Structure formats: structure tokens, C-alpha cells
């Protein structure tokens, strides 16, 4: 735990104290005061440590990968990292990590005893299971590296937990697997929430994840007082300050990742900044900012320092606005799909056959695919979906991978885990061929109108 700084601690003079020459045992009131003071100090220390936690991106120890194979050594930091690892490991991969194994030994007298030893084992994965409650990943497979205590070919179950290093080797690293590792190990890509905390002349531009706050830039400009000779340049200085904050946002906030940006300040500073942002955005044609204005949320805080973020995030109104932030783009895409399905069904596709044929003619604008399709035990099946994602991206479309651990992923799963919004309707012959292909394969997803009606109902 990193030590707290003064930003998260109250002034020393505000902490309760008691004179050393007084006898606490003879003054019960002082006993109570001392106990309260001790607890207050502990509270502020723990709070300060929490405010300054470092980024919890998955640690990448080594990386030697290519399309022909290779390995990575990783240390997952939280449950989110373990879920990424679960989607990364496939049947047939090799995993090496530390484990506990009960080993039997025979003494000179013939008596048999057993003891638990911590050893390094490498197995070829045959089964992968994710326990969301613990959280933990269990891997079952055969030992493939000779070991003093475990025979070759012996079955063993490895458990992957947070803060435990493991090495993963794959016979081939496709683009989806490589991107999973890159995004999980980049702390900035895990931050889908950003914040600008400001007061007159001072602002902090931050990226926020569920486990850390990362300050990207501190902006400070001297602002003259409202009275006196220097008051003439006050408006100019404030505009200069706002301009620097806008440049900091453009430099450090990637709106393709960030789904919401909080603008917090005491008083009316935030309102003045938002007005200036809109005016300058129109004058300077700042399309990269203007098109994302709906993501800006103005809120109140008591100070313009970084530690005020805890006050902002604890506000019930803000918390409701930020609920499910990470899945915001997936949720919007799915709602757009259902709306399109209701109004222009010819510009939608779902089910493997329809989506594949739409991809072949370059009709897909947005592809939605469930992450469990990449966990298929057969490498050829996984590769089929990887190629689908790559083809859509190469054609200028976007591909969104939905987590089955989220409600949007559950809804997509009901549509076979594969759906798409199309740029243009598919020709009639393509529709008929796709329908015939689904019928031949026994895929009834195209005929399940009861399910579609359920998903389109207002309650869904």
C-alpha cells in the first residue's frame, strides 16, 4: 500500500490530540477521545492510500508471440483480468504455473507417507472453468514436462488466481488473442471513465477505472482577482485556462475508449467551461470534441483537487449516470440493432449463415459477437470467428465482442451470439441462400420470432 499524501489527509492541526503529561487512566473522557482520535487517523490513512492506488492493469512479464506460436507470462491483478485470461486460454494451449501437489513417498522400512509440495507444473489444457465467485480459473490437463514428483501424462488441475504468475503458450496467436493481451495490459485502455476536476486556474485531467485514478495532466494558470488593477485581464486569463483544459482533453482522452467524462467544480466554473467548450468547438470546428458532447456530465464538488473525485463518484445522481459505463457502447449497439430490426429488418442479420453472407458482400457496418464463440474447443471453429472479425475490420466496419457475464451479452447469446447492423440490405438471392443454408444446418435462429418479440418488448 502506497503512503498517502497531504491531498487525501486533513491538516495536522485538525487531528485530535492529548497532552502527554495527563493520565488517561484517571480521565475516562480522555480515554474515549484518544480512541476516537486513533480511529480517525486510521480512517484518513486508509482513505488516502485508496485515493492514490496505482493502476491495476494486468502485468506483462514476457511476450514472445507470432502467428506461428509463442508464449506470454502474465500476472492478473483483478477479477476483470481473470475473465480476460479465461477468454484467452483455449483447449490445446500449454500453461505453466505454481501449484500444490500431494506427493507420496516410501521410507526404508516400507511405510508410505504423503506431503503437500509447491511445484511448477506445465499442462496441456483439456478443460477451462471460470469461477466468478472466488474469482479463479481452473485448468485441467495432462502434465507435458518431466517433473520429479509428477509423471508425464498424469492429470492435474491448475488454479489461476490474482497476483499469481503464469505462462501461456499457444500454437498460434491470432489477432483477437493478441488484442486481448494488449488491452488487458494497457492501463489507459482499461479506463472507460474520465474526469476533469477544476476550480479557477487549476484543473486535473484524469482517467478512472474500477480500481485506480490516473492523473494525465495538471493544468494551472494564474487568474487575476475580480478587483484591482489586474482585473482587466481576468476574462482573458480564464479563457486561456479553459483553452488549455480543452487541449489537455484532446491530448489525453480517447473517446473511442472513454464512454463518459465528468466535469466537476465548485461554483459555476464547470458551467463557464462547458459554455466556452461549445463556443470554441463551433468556431474552431473541433469535431473530435463536439460529436462527443453527450458524454460530458457536469457535476458539483467542493474543491478543484483530485481528492474531490471521491465526493463526485459517491453522488447518487452521478453514480446512476455512470452505471454500466464500461458496456455503454455495446448496449447502444444492441439497442440500435433491435430498433433497426423493428423498423428496417432488411438491414439486420443474425445467425451464422446470414451474418457470414453479409460479411462476404461487405455489407456489415457493426458486428456484434459473443466472447464464448472464441472459446470453442475446436481450433478451426475459433479461427472461423477470428477471420470474421478481421474481415469486418478490414472492410471499415467495427466489431464489438460482448461479454457473456453482462446482460447485453446474455441478450446477444439468445440470437445465437452473432448479429450485425448492415450498411445496405442484402440482395434477395443472398437472403434466400442464407435461409436455405440455415435450414440445411438445422439452425432455427432465423425463424424464432417469439424470441425476437420478447427481446423487442418494452421491458427488455
Amino acid at each position: 500500500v502506497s503512503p498517502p499524501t497531504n491531498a487525501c489527509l486533513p491538516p495536522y492541526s485538525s487531528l485530535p490530540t492529548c497532552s502527554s503529561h495527563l493520565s488517561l487512566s484517571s480521565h475516562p473522557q480522555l480515554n474515549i477521545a484518544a480512541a476516537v482520535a486513533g480511529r480517525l487517523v486510521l480512517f484518513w490513512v486508509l482513505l488516502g492510500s485508496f485515493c492514490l492506488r496505482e493502476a491495476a492493469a494486468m502485468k506483462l512479464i514476457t511476450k514472445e508471440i507470432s502467428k506461428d506460436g509463442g508464449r506470454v507470462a502474465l500476472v492478473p491483478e483483478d477479477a476483470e483480468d481473470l475473465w480476460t485470461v479465461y477468454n484467452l486460454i483455449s483447449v490445446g494451449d500449454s500453461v505453466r504455473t505454481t501449484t500444490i501437489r500431494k506427493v507420496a513417498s516410501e521410507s526404508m522400512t516400507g511405510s508410505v507417507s504423503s506431503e503437500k509440495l509447491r511445484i511448477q507444473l506445465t499442462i496441456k489444457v483439456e478443460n477451462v472453468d471460470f469461477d466468478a465467485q472466488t474469482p479463479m480459473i481452473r485448468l485441467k490437463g495432462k502434465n507435458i514436462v518431466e517433473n520429479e514428483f509428477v509423471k508425464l501424462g498424469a492429470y492435474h488441475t491448475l488454479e489461476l488466481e490474482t497476483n499469481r504468475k503464469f505462462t501461456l503458450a499457444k500454437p498460434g496467436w491470432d489477432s483477437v488473442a493478441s488484442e486481448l493481451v494488449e488491452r488487458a495490459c494497457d492501463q489507459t485502455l482499461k479506463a472507460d471513465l474520465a474526469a476533469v476536476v477544476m476550480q479557477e486556474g487549476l484543473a486535473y485531467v484524469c482517467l478512472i477505472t474500477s480500481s485506480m485514478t490516473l492523473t494525465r495532466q495538471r493544468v494551472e494558470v494564474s487568474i487575476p482577482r475580480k478587483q484591482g488593477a489586474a482585473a482587466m485581464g481576468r476574462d482573458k486569463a480564464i479563457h486561456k485556462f479553459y483553452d488549455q483544459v480543452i487541449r489537455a482533453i484532446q491530448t489525453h482522452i480517447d473517446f473511442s475508449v472513454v464512454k463518459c467524462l465528468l466535469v466537476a467544480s465548485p461554483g459555476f466554473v464547470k458551467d463557464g467551461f462547458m459554455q466556452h467548450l461549445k463556443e470554441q468547438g463551433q468556431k474552431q470546428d473541433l469535431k473530435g470534441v463536439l460529436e462527443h458532447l453527450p458524454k460530458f456530465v457536469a457535476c458539483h464538488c467542493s474543491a478543484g483537487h483530485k481528492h474531490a473525485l471521491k465526493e463526485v463518484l459517491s453522488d447518487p445522481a452521478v453514480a446512476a449516470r455512470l452505471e454500466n459505463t464500461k458496456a455503454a457502447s455495446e448496449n447502444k449497439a444492441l439497442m440500435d440493432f433491435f430498433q433497426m430490426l423493428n423498423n428496417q429488418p432488411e438491414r439486420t442479420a443474425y445467425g451464422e449463415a446470414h451474418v457470414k453472407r453479409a460479411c462476404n458482400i461487405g455489407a456489415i457496418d457493426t458486428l456484434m459477437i459473443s466472447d464464448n464463440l472464441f472459446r470453442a474447443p475446436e481450433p478451426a471453429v475459433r479461427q472461423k470467428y477470428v477471420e470474421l472479425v478481421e474481415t469486418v475490420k478490414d472492410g471499415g466496419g467495427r466489431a464489438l465482442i460482448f461479454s457473456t457475464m453482462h446482460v447485453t451479452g446474455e441478450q446477444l447469446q439468445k440470437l445465437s451470439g452473432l448479429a450485425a447492423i448492415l450498411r445496405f440490405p442484402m440482395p434477395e438471392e443472398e437472403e434466400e441462400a442464407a435461409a436455405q443454408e440455415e435450414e440445411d444446418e438445422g439452425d432455427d435462429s432465423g425463424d424464432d420470432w417469439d424470441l425476437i418479440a420478447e427481446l423487442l418488448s418494452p421491458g427488455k
Side-chain angles (χ1 to χ4, degrees), residues 123-288:
I123 66 170
K124 187 172 183 179
V125 178
E126 295 185 6
N127 186 58
V128 187
D129 179 56
F130 179 73
D131 183 356
Q133 299 299 321
T134 311
M136 177 190 296
I137 300 174
R138 294 184 179 88
L139 308 172
K140 182 181 179 181
K142 292 180 180 179
N143 180 36
I144 60 173
V145 176
E146 189 173 355
N147 189 286
E148 178 184 355
F149 305 104
V150 183
K151 296 179 181 179
L152 284 174
Y155 275 97
H156 188 82
T157 299
L158 295 179
E159 295 180 344
L160 302 184
E161 301 174 314
T162 55
N163 301 311
R164 179 182 294 182
K165 177 187 172 183
F166 73 95
T167 302
L168 169 64
K170 300 174 80 69
W173 287 81
D174 53 54
S175 61
V176 173
S178 300
E179 186 177 349
L180 273 176
V181 174
E182 181 182 344
R183 294 182 69 87
C185 296
D186 189 333
Q187 62 188 19
T188 61
L189 291 180
K190 294 185 73 175
D192 60 350
L193 173 62
V196 177
V197 187
M198 58 168 56
Q199 62 188 33
E200 280 195 356
L202 179 66
Y204 291 87
V205 179
C206 307
L207 292 176
I208 305 170
T209 69
S210 59
S211 55
M212 67 97 180
T213 300
L214 181 66
T215 301
R216 302 305 294 166
Q217 186 172 336
R218 183 177 188 267
V219 178
E220 189 169 7
V221 173
S222 178
I223 306 293
R225 295 184 178 181
K226 295 181 180 180
Q227 299 176 350
M232 294 289 292
R234 177 178 172 79
D235 289 343
K236 183 178 179 181
I238 290 177
H239 290 163
K240 178 183 176 182
F241 169 61
Y242 289 160
D243 288 337
Q244 290 191 18
V245 174
I246 293 174
R247 284 196 293 271
I249 291 174
Q250 290 177 301
T251 303
H252 300 290
I253 306 300
D254 182 357
F255 284 104
S256 65
V257 177
V258 170
K259 308 301 185 298
C260 181
L261 192 152
L262 301 175
V263 180
S265 78
F268 299 100
V269 179
K270 60 184 180 301
D271 304 297
F273 171 75
M274 291 300 297
Q275 182 62 33
H276 184 80
L277 176 65
K278 293 173 185 177
E279 293 174 356
Q280 293 302 310
Q282 293 172 354
K283 287 181 181 178
Q284 301 179 27
D285 195 22
L286 303 178
K287 293 181 180 178

Side-chain angles (χ1 to χ4, degrees), residues 345-359:
E346 68 278 3
R347 285 190 55 197
T348 62
Y350 59 93
E352 184 177 340
H354 278 85
V355 172
K356 185 177 178 181
R357 287 188 174 273
C359 179

Side-chain angles (χ1 to χ4, degrees), residues 255 274 277-278 288-297 321:
F255 284 104
M274 291 300 297
L277 176 65
K278 293 173 185 177
V289 175
L290 287 179
E291 64 184 14
H292 295 291
L293 274 180
K295 297 181 180 181
F296 286 67
V297 178
R321 174 66 175 82

